[in-house]
Amino acid sequence: MPQDDQTPERDRPWLFRTYAGHSTAAASNALYRGNLAKGQTGLSVAFDLPTQTGYDSDHVLARGEVGKVGVPVCHLGDMAALFDRIPLDQMNTSMTINATAPWLLALYIAVAEEQGADVAALQGTVQNDIIKEYLSRGTYICPPEPSLRMITDVAAYTREHLPKWNPMNVCSYHLQEAGATPEEELAFALATACAVLDDLRGKVDAADFPEMVGRISFFVNAGIRFVTEMCKMRAFVELWDEICETRYGVQDPKYRRFRYGVQVNSLGLTEQQPENNVYRILLETLAVTLSKNARARAVQLPAWNEALGLPRPWDQQWSLRLQQVLAFETDLLEYGDLFDGNPVVTARVEALKKEARAELAQIDAMGGAVGAIEYMKSRLVESNAARIAAIEAGETVVVGVNRYQNGEPSPLTAGDDAIMVSDPEAEADQLARLAAWKAGRDEAAVSRALGELRQAALGGANVMPASIACAKAGVTTGEWAEEIRAAFGQYRGPTGVSRHPSNRTEGLDDLRARVDAVSARLGRRLTFLMAKPGLDGHSNGAEQIAARARDCGMEIAYEGIRLTPDEIVAAAGREAPHVIGLSILSGSHVALVSDVMAGLRAAGLAHIPVVAGGIIPQADAERLREMGIAEVYSPKDFELNRIMADIVTLADAAPAAAE
C-alpha cells in the first residue's frame, strides 16, 4: 500500500547489540552467529577477566576465572576461532577491553588480514578507557601515565590505518554502577575525554586533530530515573559540543557530535522478583532513544535474569526483541526531537550542566583526570554509600526489594535450566589448547617479537606495530602484558575507603554499642578483614561493606582488588582479624573460596570465621557452607546493617584475647 504523503520519513535505527561471550572462543562464536541470525546488527564482545587484566588462562590468578564473565582470548588462534565465518570487514564490532586494548585490537587486525579483509574497512570500537578502571572496574595493569600513553598510541595508529575505527570509548557506564550521581557521571567522563585529547594533541598533526576529536565515542549508563537520564544525555550532547569548540577549537559541527553507545543499568536489576527487570530495562531504554538530538548510536541491553546468573540465548533474544519492537513497530523514529523547547527539560538540563561544570573545574584544578583519580574514587564511594543508605531507609523505593516484597513465585525462574551454567569443562579445554598453541609455535619468532615490543615500550615508540607483529608471531596475552608490566610497572589503585569513620552514622548506635562491647570482651578492637580474591574488579560491594564496618566502629583491613588466596591468608596472619569477608562477583566463588579456606587451614587460621558474598546460586551457597563459610550473601541481601550484625555475632563467639 502506498505511503500517505504526510507519513514522516523514518530515521535509521541504532545498532542492535548484545553484550556476550563465555566459556570458549568456539562457544562464543556460535552464540554470535545465532544472535546475528536473529537480527542483531553489531557485535559486543565480553572478554573474561584474565584476558582483560593481561593473564593467560594458565596463570595462578586465572584459576576459576577462565570463561566466566566473558570469552578467553590468549592468542591469534583464539581470536580467529571467535570470529570464524564472521567477515570482519562487514561487521561493526565493539570490544569491551581496556588495559589490554592495544593487544586485542592487534589480534583483531591480524585475524582480519588472515580473512583477506581490507583493514581500512574495519568498523568498531575498543573501549580503551583506563581512567574509569582505576575508579570503578579494576582491570588496569599499569600506572595512569603509561596507560594514557597507550590509549593515544591506539588512537594515533587508527588515524593512519583504520579510518572507520573508534579508538577510544569513554565509559561512564561503570561510574554509575559505582554510585556516581548524574552530575558526577557527566563530569568524570568528560574529564577523561579531555585527558585523552590533551595527550593525543602531541601525536597527530594539527590538521588531523579535529577529525580525531570526532572519533572519540562514549559508552554510558541509563538508570531507572529515566527522565533525569534523558536530560543527562542532552546535557552530555551540549557540554561535549561546548568543550570541543571552546577547549579544542573544533569548528566543524560533525566533529563535535556526541556519539555514544549504551548499556542500560545492570546495577538496578534485582534478584527478588526478577521479572520486574523487564520493565526496568524498557524504561531505561526509552531514556536513550526518546530524544532524537541525544539518541544512542548503539544499544545493548542486559537480560532480565542477570542478577541470578548467566543468561541463556533465549534471555538475550528477549532483550533484542525489545529493541526491535521499539525501533520497527512504534513510530518513534518518524519524528524530530520531542523535547526541544520543553521548559521542564531545559531547566533540568541546565542544572545538570551547571553542576558538571563546577565538578570539571575542580578536576582541572587538580591537574585533570589523571591527577584527580584518588579524589574521584573517594567521591564515588561516598555517593554509593548514600545510594545504599537511601534504599535501606526506604527513601528510595525498589519494588520487590524494600517495598511490595510479597508476590507470586515466578514461573520464569522455575526449573534447573532457568539460567545457563557455564561449561565446567571449558577451563580445562582452554588450558589444553593454550598448551598446544605454545608447543606448536616458533619460539625464536616469539622472542624476536617480544624484544621489539619491549624496545617500543621503553623507547617511546607507538606500541601498535610491535603488538601486531607479536600477534602474528604467536605471542600470548600474558606474554604481551608481562612486557608491558616490565616496561611501565604495576599499579594498585586507591580503594576510596578511608580508615576514618564518615559522618553517616544515623541508625548505627545499637551496632556501635555492640561493637564496643564485643571489643572490650575480646581485649582489642573488633577487626574485620575485607578481601577480594581473584581477578574480579567489581569492588563496589566490598568497599561498601568495609566502609559500613568502619562506621560501626570496627577496625578494618581492606587492601583492594586482585589478591591471590595466598595473599589473603598472609593478610589474615598479619592483621589477626576476628572475621574475614570474601567478595567475588565473577562467578569463580567455588574455586577461590576453596583455595582460601585450604590456605587458612594450612596456616593454622581455620578458627577465624569467614563470610562470602557475590552472585551465588543457592546450590553453590550450600557448597560454600560445606567448606566452612559461616554466612553467604547474594544481591538480595541489601541491608548492610544486618550483615554487620552477623559479623559482630560471629566475632562475639570468638575466644577473648589471651594477652
Side-chain angles (χ1 to χ4, degrees):
M1 184 166 51
Q3 275 198 326
D4 189 301
D5 289 343
Q6 302 303 310
T7 302
E9 183 179 346
R10 291 179 65 86
D11 290 337
R12 263 172 49 181
W14 52 90
L15 281 169
F16 303 152
R17 284 185 170 138
T18 305
Y19 182 55
H22 67 90
S23 300
T24 64
S28 298
N29 172 261
L31 179 63
Y32 296 163
R33 288 188 289 108
N35 285 342
L36 291 169
K38 294 169 186 172
Q40 187 172 301
T41 53
L43 292 178
S44 182
V45 181
F47 295 99
D48 74 354
L49 286 173
T51 305
Q52 292 185 51
T53 51
Y55 295 103
D56 285 333
S57 299
D58 57 2
H59 193 278
V60 61
L61 274 169
R63 174 169 152 72
E65 307 277 18
V66 177
K68 280 294 195 304
V69 301
V71 57
V73 174
C74 289
H75 47 72
L76 186 61
D78 283 342
M79 189 65 100
L82 186 63
F83 292 107
D84 182 39
R85 287 173 284 171
I86 299 175
L88 296 188
D89 53 357
Q90 300 173 34
M91 185 52 54
N92 191 305
T93 303
S94 171
M95 293 192 283
T96 303
I97 199 72
N98 296 283
T100 54
W103 174 240
L104 271 296
L105 180 57
L107 289 172
Y108 191 84
I109 291 169
V111 168
E113 290 183 354
E114 283 191 348
Q115 289 186 355
D118 177 5
V119 170
L122 298 181
Q123 297 183 68
T125 304
V126 277
Q127 193 170 101
N128 207 15
D129 178 356
I130 296 298
I131 291 176
K132 74 98 172 51
E133 295 300 314
Y134 303 124
L135 301 178
S136 56
R137 184 61 187 83
T139 68
Y140 52 80
I141 291 177
C142 303
E145 289 80 4
S147 295
L148 186 63
R149 168 201 158 178
M150 287 193 291
I151 292 173
T152 52
D153 276 0
V154 169
Y157 185 86
T158 59
R159 190 211 64 76
E160 186 174 354
H161 300 284
L162 282 75
K164 298 181 179 181
W165 194 270
N166 297 319
M168 199 261 180
N169 197 229
V170 181
C171 181
S172 71
Y173 174 85
H174 290 101
L175 300 180
Q176 188 176 131
E177 295 274 299
T181 65
E183 296 85 354
E184 288 168 346
E185 187 180 344
L186 284 163
F188 295 0
L190 292 170
T192 296
C194 290
V196 170
L197 289 176
D198 289 349
D199 193 69
L200 183 60
R201 265 179 163 166
K203 293 189 176 182
V204 298
D205 292 339
D208 296 323
F209 186 71
E211 182 209 350
M212 293 308 300
V213 173
R215 285 169 61 189
I216 298 294
S217 60
F218 291 75
F219 187 73
V220 306
N221 201 328
I224 193 62
R225 292 172 58 80
F226 80 100
V227 175
T228 293
E229 294 294 310
M230 183 273 293
C231 291
K232 179 191 77 181
M233 297 321 306
R234 290 174 70 94
F236 255 134
V237 168
E238 294 176 20
L239 284 168
W240 183 239
D241 183 79
E242 177 184 301
I243 287 169
C244 290
E245 184 171 21
T246 60
R247 183 174 180 133
Y248 297 110
V250 178
Q251 298 303 309
D252 191 334
K254 75 178 181 183
Y255 294 144
R256 303 199 305 262
R257 289 177 190 153
F258 184 81
R259 300 178 308 115
Y260 77 98
V262 64
Q263 169 151 327
V264 305
N265 193 287
S266 293
L267 177 68
L269 300 181
T270 62
E271 181 180 355
Q272 304 94 317
Q273 300 179 19
E275 61 277 4
N276 297 343
N277 294 329
V278 175
Y279 304 129
R280 294 182 177 112
I281 292 167
L282 171 60
L283 290 168
E284 291 162 355
T285 305
L286 293 176
V288 295
T289 55
L290 280 177
S291 176
K292 178 177 180 178
N293 292 345
R295 185 170 292 150
R297 298 292 184 92
V299 177
Q300 60 191 48
L301 303 180
W304 67 281
N305 57 351
E306 282 191 14
L308 304 177
L310 191 63
R312 300 158 297 186
W314 182 87
D315 304 312
Q316 294 188 331
Q317 174 185 299
W318 200 6
S319 289
L320 174 62
R321 294 293 183 250
L322 185 157
Q323 294 199 60
Q324 292 167 330
V325 168
L326 182 61
F328 298 122
E329 293 191 24
T330 77
D331 57 354
L332 174 65
L333 297 178
E334 296 174 7
Y335 295 95
D337 197 283
L338 306 178
F339 303 102
D340 280 354
N342 182 303
V344 175
V345 170
T346 299
R348 184 72 177 111
V349 170
E350 289 302 317
L352 287 167
K353 286 164 59 179
K354 180 180 179 181
E355 290 295 322
R357 286 193 192 100
E359 193 69 70
L360 277 166
Q362 174 75 22
I363 293 168
D364 271 341
M366 295 178 168
V370 170
I373 284 172
E374 191 164 351
Y375 161 77
M376 291 190 287
K377 178 66 175 178
S378 64
R379 286 291 301 269
L380 290 177
V381 171
E382 287 303 308
S383 293
N384 205 17
R387 181 189 68 82
I388 291 171
I391 294 173
E392 285 186 287
E395 298 164 9
T396 297
V397 174
V398 182
V399 173
V401 175
N402 62 0
R403 195 179 295 184
Y404 312 118
Q405 295 99 324
N406 294 331
E408 300 299 323
S410 170
L412 292 174
T413 60
D416 294 336
D417 60 348
I419 59 171
M420 189 165 72
V421 178
S422 59
D423 181 0
E425 303 301 321
E427 183 167 348
D429 176 63
Q430 174 69 11
L431 292 177
R433 284 184 293 101
L434 174 59
W437 177 269
K438 289 180 177 179
R441 63 188 182 174
D442 182 341
E443 288 299 330
V446 168
S447 180
R448 283 194 302 272
L450 287 171
E452 291 170 9
L453 176 65
R454 186 180 315 121
Q455 188 175 0
L458 293 172
N462 192 309
V463 299
M464 281 302 299
S467 296
I468 294 170
C470 282
K472 294 177 179 179
V475 167
T476 67
T477 296
E479 290 165 341
W480 179 90
E482 194 55 40
E483 290 296 340
I484 296 300
R485 289 187 180 94
F488 300 137
Q490 299 201 54
Y491 181 75
R492 184 168 289 280
T495 67
V497 181
S498 167
R499 284 184 174 267
H500 306 293
S502 72
N503 57 7
R504 194 178 294 103
T505 56
E506 300 86 353
L508 299 183
D509 290 347
D510 289 347
L511 277 168
R512 289 170 66 87
R514 282 193 65 197
V515 169
D516 288 343
V518 171
S519 297
R521 188 188 71 77
L522 292 171
R524 61 186 177 92
R525 181 56 48 180
L526 193 165
T527 301
F528 176 65
L529 171 63
M530 183 73 248
K532 282 194 66 62
L535 296 176
D536 172 31
H538 282 109
S539 58
N540 307 329
E543 290 157 3
Q544 294 307 314
I545 293 289
R548 184 64 61 86
R550 172 203 65 196
D551 289 347
C552 287
M554 301 181 205
E555 182 72 24
I556 60 165
Y558 175 55
E559 297 180 4
I561 63 171
R562 217 182 298 171
L563 300 175
T564 65
D566 286 348
E567 287 172 329
I568 292 169
V569 171
R574 186 171 60 250
E575 302 288 345
H578 298 100
V579 181
I580 298 170
L582 303 177
S583 172
I584 310 165
L585 277 78
S586 63
S588 56
H589 40 267
V590 172
L592 291 174
V593 168
S594 175
D595 288 351
V596 172
M597 298 302 282
L600 290 172
R601 286 193 297 272
L605 300 172
H607 60 281
I608 304 174
V610 181
V611 299
I615 301 175
I616 302 174
Q618 187 57 40
D620 285 356
E622 292 305 318
R623 291 181 66 184
L624 298 186
R625 291 188 181 96
E626 290 169 3
M627 293 177 194
I629 296 297
E631 298 287 349
V632 179
Y633 303 103
S634 72
K636 70 179 183 299
D637 300 299
F638 70 97
E639 296 171 303
L640 298 191
N641 285 355
R642 184 176 71 79
I643 296 174
M644 294 301 110
D646 290 345
I647 291 171
V648 177
T649 298
L650 289 169
D652 197 19
E659 62 270 18

